[in-house]
Amino acid sequence: MKDQIVIYGKLIRNPELKLTNTQKAVCRFSILESVQTNGQDVWHNICAWEADAQFCHAVLKKGDNVFVQGRIKVNKWLDNLGNPRESTELTAFQIGLPRFIKN
């Protein structure tokens, strides 16, 4: 799959579960990556859908170590002053906790 990434880090807030207008479950949360870039912490916005969203909301809690594999999505918009803005989000298709992984 093109533009996919795996991130391992710590949840910085509890996942938030919502339903879309078409009743699809979507869960959003953020991960603080375990490495630093240029002396600064790196955090990522994550979005999970349907069964993955339900899993995240039911199992993940703030402070949990977690890994996420997903596809990078870039959101672009203009702010109130007309300046271009950009953010990235990872659309998750695999989520895991180290305590649930068996060898």
Side-chain angles (χ1 to χ4, degrees):
M1 180 180 278
K2 184 178 163 188
D3 297 329
Q4 69 177 348
I5 188 170
V6 177
I7 297 171
Y8 178 79
K10 186 174 289 216
L11 263 70
I12 58 175
R13 67 175 194 256
N14 287 328
E16 298 175 15
L17 181 69
K18 294 183 179 181
L19 294 176
T20 66
N21 293 339
T22 58
Q23 301 302 304
K24 290 186 178 184
V26 59
C27 189
R28 296 185 186 280
F29 54 97
S30 296
I31 294 177
L32 178 64
E33 196 172 358
S34 300
V35 297
Q36 289 192 343
T37 301
N38 299 328
Q40 295 184 356
D41 292 328
V42 178
W43 58 274
H44 303 276
N45 294 318
I46 312 294
C47 178
W49 291 89
E50 298 292 347
D52 290 332
Q54 299 289 348
F55 169 82
C56 291
H57 185 257
V59 176
L60 301 180
K61 304 291 180 243
K62 179 180 177 180
D64 283 347
N65 288 316
V66 63
F67 75 87
V68 177
Q69 182 175 4
R71 185 176 68 252
I72 298 169
K73 178 182 175 188
V74 178
N75 300 309
K76 296 180 180 184
W77 71 96
L78 297 176
D79 67 13
N80 293 339
L81 300 174
N83 299 316
R85 306 290 293 182
E86 184 175 290
S87 69
T88 58
E89 180 177 74
L90 185 69
T91 302
F93 57 79
Q94 186 171 11
I95 301 109
L97 292 153
R99 67 176 180 247
F100 289 146
I101 299 172
K102 293 183 180 180
N103 292 329

